[in-house]
Every structure is written in C-alpha cells, then in structure tokens.
C-alpha cells in the first residue's frame, strides 16, 4: 500500500543520508538564511507536488529560512532516518508516520515540542491525534494529516443489486456480496490480506494485538481468534474474492474497485484521488464511505493512521528554531486546508474542515467515520507488531497453515519484540 504501514526493513541509503541531511548541512552563511532539510514521505505522484509548492510559499513568506525539500520513499524512510539520526546526519524535519513517532522519541531522535510555536494551536487538533504524537508525557510531533480505514463502496453496484444501505455487520456484508454477484456479475467484496486491514476484525471483538495496561500479548486469545476467523472467512463464498497474496495484490484490488469490477473494499482516504481516476467514479458522488462492519461485540473500530511533522533533536539551535516555525506554518489551518483541497487528504484540526474541503464526497465520507477510529497505544514497538502478524496471515490466507498455528507463531514473534510482556 502507499503508506506501507509496517515499514519494510531495508538497508539505509548512505548516499541519501550524506547528501540530504539537515544536521550536517554546512551551506549556511553566518549572516544568511538558515537552511533546513525536510524529508517528505508522501506519494511522489499524487501528493508530493502539493508539498513542494507549499515549501516555496513558506520560503516566500519567511525569507530568512530556506527549506531543502527531499521526497523519500515511504517504505524506506523509517530505516533511512533511523540510520541517519544515529550518525547525527538526519533531516531537520521528518514527515513521521504516527507509529514511528514514539519509537524515534524513545531513542532521543525527536525534539519535544511542548510549549513551542509548533503547538501553539494545540486545542484546535483532534485530541486523539495529539495523544498519538506523545511519548512518556511529552509531545514529539504535530499532526499533519490523519486517516483511518472505512468500507468504501460503489453506490451504483449496490443500487443495481437492490441494496439501499451499507452493511453494518460482516455477515450482512457477506450476504450483500452474494446478491451483488448474482445481480451485477461484479464481486461484492475483496479484502487485502495485509495485517493492517485485519486490525478492525480484532477491534470488532473488543481486543487488540496487545493489552498495554496489563503488558500482555493478546493476539492468541479467544477474542482475537474469533475476530481473525471472521477475517479468514471473508476470502471464500459467493461474491467474495479469493485471497491475493501476490506482491501486486494492492494494485490488483485498487484496479478492480476503481473500474467497477468489485463493489466494495476496505481502504483509507489516501486513495481518494486515485478512486476518482477510475471509470467507476468519474462521477465522484458514486463513491460511498461507511463505518466498517461490526464484530460480534456489536462495536466497530478501525486504526487511526496519519503523519506528524517532527523535529530532529540533533540539529543545531538555529535549525531547530527554523524547523519549529516551518512545522507551525505547515500544520496551520490555512495550509492544511490547501493540502486537503489539493490532495483530498484529511486535516487534523477542526478549523481546516471548511465547506470547500467537505464538498469532496470522499473527504466528507471519511471525516464522518473518524469517530470510530481508535488511536494506537503509546507503545513504541506497536507498529512493528504488524510485521510478524502479516507474515502469518499471508500463510493463513494462502492455505499454508492453520489459524491456530498462525496465531501461535505471531504470539511467539511478538514476545521477542516485547520481552517484558507476558503471553
């Protein structure tokens, strides 16, 4: 997926760290502008042009600061920053995925921003998003964009099948998929096998991968097993697409959805602009967005994602001051509104949801489901847990191992990442 939620562990690029870093930049003159480096991890084709243009606007409004804009591939950025920060060569500002923020804060790589201009408007931000930017009582990032997962669907295909409302339970979704297949020949539902997309099935049973309060790994409990048994059942049955465990699965699912070959999928707002490029959504109003179906607990939930802007603790004082000013400007209501209008992403502050922003049916739809999103626990290793779970779910979806074995293996792998947690 675009944001690669559990970042792929790739070897860091030494060349990039050497040439695109803020901490080692020696190009500033004593009496000239301060130059800071920003590593942006947004999509290079759909989103980066907006951010590059905003950098120019910032420089024009702040002539004493220059911003070296570097677009870094998302699934490589976590490892590259980790390596660069460890050698004192990191960028002055990082667009940090919310799961990375506490992990890097724990290592001392991020500057606490409490009491700075970057958080002057803190009350305007959604409280749960500020919480996700915190570690050990301090705030290490300012929310730039947010997201969550929802059931996105093709209103016309649903209507052609005589279905007038989005399903509210997984059983209803299965029944709707069967009707859609019979009436329209399109598949009713196609589920991504990545572990991030399995998270709602855990929430639907009132559980999670871990319980941070009791410091216990809960992926192999009865509740988790029930939720992931439901997840497994979504790959077989009339109108349900079989599991795609190929490397190009994400692209296959997206292509099928935007071109009307499948009526519904689970997806996030980062794909809104791509939805509109497909034949099925040339009329934007055909895009439906609904809260994910509930599990047997009767509740529905989806993970809260997004990105913060964080400042490198290893930068010089003048660069940190400039970086804080840049972060405040980039996360202001005016700038967030511009980003939302250009990229169809979700703002993190209430005053950026203007009438123009919510005129986009995709943005308005995802805004309406944000209340069901659950913030990640304050656990630096949390996002890393999706890695071992994903490996096991792929094997499970491919019929190579049982659910019991998949959860047992996941529990064992998670215990290695969380040695102070009990099973």
């Amino acid at each position: 997926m675009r944001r690669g939620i559990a970042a792929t562990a790739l070897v860091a690029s030494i060349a990039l760290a050497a040439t695109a870093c803020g901490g080692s930049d020696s190009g500033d003159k004593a009496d000239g502008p301060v130059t800071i480096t920003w590593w942006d991890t947004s999509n290079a084709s759909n989103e980066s042009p907006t951010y590059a243009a905003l950098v120019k606007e910032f420089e024009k409004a702040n002539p004493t600061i220059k911003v070296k804009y570097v677009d870094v591939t998302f699934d490589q950025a976590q490892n590259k920053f980790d390596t660069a920060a460890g050698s004192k060569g990191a960028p002055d500002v990082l667009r940090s995925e919310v799961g990375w923020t506490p992990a890097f804060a724990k290592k001392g790589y991020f500057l606490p921003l409490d009491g700075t201009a970057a958080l002057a408007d803190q009350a305007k931000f959604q409280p749960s998003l500020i919480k996700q930017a915190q570690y050990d009582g301090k705030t290490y990032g300012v929310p730039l964009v947010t997201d969550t997962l929802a059931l996105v669907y093709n209103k016309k295909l649903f209507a052609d099948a005589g279905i007038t409302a989005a399903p509210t339970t997984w059983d209803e979704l299965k029944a709707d998929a069967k009707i859609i297949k019979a009436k329209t020949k399109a598949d009713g539902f196609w589920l991504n096998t990545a572990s991030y997309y399995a998270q709602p099935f855990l929430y639907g049973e009132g559980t999670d991968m871990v319980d941070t309060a009791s410091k216990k790994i809960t992926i192999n409990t009865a509740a988790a097993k029930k939720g992931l048994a439901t997840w497994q059942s979504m790959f077989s049955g009339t109108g349900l697409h079989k599991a795609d465990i190929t490397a190009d699965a994400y692209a296959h699912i997206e292509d099928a959805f935007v071109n009307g070959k499948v009526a519904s999928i689970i997806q996030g707002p980062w794909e809104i602009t791509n939805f509109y490029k497909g034949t099925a959504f040339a009329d934007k109003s055909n895009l439906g967005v609904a809260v994910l179906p509930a599990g047997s607990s009767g509740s529905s939930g989806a993970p809260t994602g997004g990105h913060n802007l964080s400042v490198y603790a290893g930068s010089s004082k003048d660069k940190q001051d400039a970086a804080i000013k840049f972060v405040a400007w980039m996360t202001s209501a005016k700038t967030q509104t511009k980003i939302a209008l250009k990229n169809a992403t979700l703002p993190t502050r209430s005053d950026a949801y203007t009438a123009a922003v919510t005129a986009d049916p995709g943005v308005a739809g995802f805004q309406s489901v944000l209340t069901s999103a659950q913030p990640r626990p304050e656990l630096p290793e949390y996002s890393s847990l999706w890695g071992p779970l994903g490996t096991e779910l792929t094997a499970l979806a491919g019929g190579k191992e049982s659910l019991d074995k998949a959860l047992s293996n996941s529990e064992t792998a998670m215990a290695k990442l969380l040695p102070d947690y009990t099973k």
Side-chain angles (χ1 to χ4, degrees):
M1 70 188 104
R2 177 177 69 85
R3 307 212 333 264
I5 309 296
T8 307
L10 299 176
V11 177
S13 168
I14 302 302
L16 181 55
T19 60
C21 60
S24 61
D25 192 325
S26 59
D28 297 342
K29 296 179 180 179
D31 58 348
V34 174
T35 299
I36 60 173
T37 298
W38 175 32
W39 280 9
D40 176 26
T41 60
S42 63
N43 183 275
S45 59
N46 290 340
E47 297 180 334
S48 295
T50 297
Y51 290 114
L54 286 170
V55 164
K56 298 299 183 185
E57 284 189 32
F58 172 80
E59 290 179 330
K60 185 176 181 179
N62 298 272
T64 62
I65 302 173
K66 296 296 181 184
V67 180
K68 184 185 295 182
Y69 175 81
V70 183
D71 186 84
V72 182
T73 303
F74 176 83
D75 61 6
Q76 298 179 28
Q78 185 179 20
N79 254 33
K80 286 181 176 179
F81 183 84
D82 196 20
T83 299
S87 61
K88 302 297 182 184
D92 305 289
V93 179
L94 175 70
R95 184 179 186 260
S96 174
E97 203 269 340
V98 293
W100 306 348
T101 305
F104 285 142
K106 182 180 181 180
K107 290 186 174 185
Y109 293 162
F110 284 162
L111 184 73
L113 298 175
D114 304 277
T116 71
L119 285 172
D121 290 343
Q122 183 170 331
K124 298 290 186 181
F125 291 84
Q126 186 175 319
S128 63
L129 302 183
I130 293 292
K131 182 176 177 59
Q132 284 198 153
Q134 294 177 335
Y135 174 71
D136 200 23
K138 296 180 180 179
T139 311
Y140 291 90
V142 184
L144 176 66
V145 293
T146 188
D147 62 61
T148 189
L149 293 174
L151 182 73
V152 292
Y153 63 98
N154 185 318
K155 291 180 180 179
K156 183 178 186 304
L157 286 176
F158 269 62
D160 289 347
I163 302 170
T164 58
T168 58
T169 67
W170 298 114
D171 284 341
E172 284 183 13
L173 177 54
K174 290 179 184 179
D176 286 350
K178 187 174 183 178
I179 295 170
I180 289 168
K181 187 67 173 180
K183 297 283 189 179
T184 72
K185 307 303 180 185
D187 284 326
F189 179 68
W190 191 346
L191 178 61
N192 192 316
T193 63
S195 54
Y196 190 71
Y197 294 83
Q199 191 73 35
F201 292 85
L202 296 175
Y203 290 157
E205 300 304 325
T207 192
D208 200 340
M209 297 182 290
V210 293
D211 180 344
T212 55
S214 61
K215 301 188 76 171
K216 181 178 176 61
I217 298 169
T218 53
I219 193 61
N220 201 19
T221 60
K225 183 176 181 179
K226 187 171 186 178
L228 291 175
T230 300
W231 173 88
Q232 185 181 18
S233 73
M234 303 306 296
F235 297 107
S236 60
T238 303
L240 301 174
H241 200 285
K242 67 179 183 180
D244 185 341
I245 58 174
T246 68
D248 296 324
Y250 187 94
H252 295 162
I253 296 170
E254 291 302 302
D255 180 72
F257 181 63
V258 303
N259 290 306
K261 298 175 183 177
V262 61
S264 63
I265 62 174
I266 296 175
Q267 193 52 282
W270 55 86
E271 287 293 345
I272 290 174
T273 55
N274 284 332
F275 292 157
Y276 297 153
K277 294 176 183 178
T279 57
F281 304 104
D283 175 0
K284 295 180 180 180
S285 66
N286 190 42
L287 178 66
V289 182
V291 171
L292 288 173
S296 66
S297 69
S299 62
S300 172
T304 304
H307 295 80
N308 303 317
L309 289 184
S310 296
V311 177
Y312 179 42
S315 295
S316 61
K317 180 64 165 56
D318 60 337
K319 287 178 179 290
Q320 288 180 358
D321 289 344
I324 287 170
K325 191 169 187 178
F326 175 67
V327 169
W329 190 90
M330 285 295 295
T331 58
S332 67
K334 182 177 180 181
T335 305
Q336 283 204 25
T337 298
K338 289 182 179 180
I339 294 169
L341 290 173
K342 288 287 188 179
N343 293 352
T345 50
L346 303 186
T348 58
R349 47 189 297 162
S350 57
D351 49 356
Y353 282 95
T354 64
V357 169
T358 56
D360 184 310
V363 172
F366 273 98
Q367 182 193 15
S368 72
V369 305
L370 281 176
T371 53
S372 68
Q374 297 191 28
R376 302 179 201 179
E378 190 179 299
L379 177 66
E381 298 84 2
Y382 186 81
S383 295
S384 299
L385 304 180
W386 280 314
L389 179 60
T391 298
E392 299 304 322
L393 291 184
T394 297
L396 175 61
K400 295 181 179 179
E401 63 184 29
S402 67
L403 177 58
D404 285 340
K405 182 66 173 176
L407 297 187
S408 177
N409 288 348
S410 296
E411 181 182 52
T412 299
M414 290 179 184
K416 294 178 181 178
L417 294 170
L418 300 169
D420 57 339
Y421 272 54
T422 60
K423 296 182 181 179

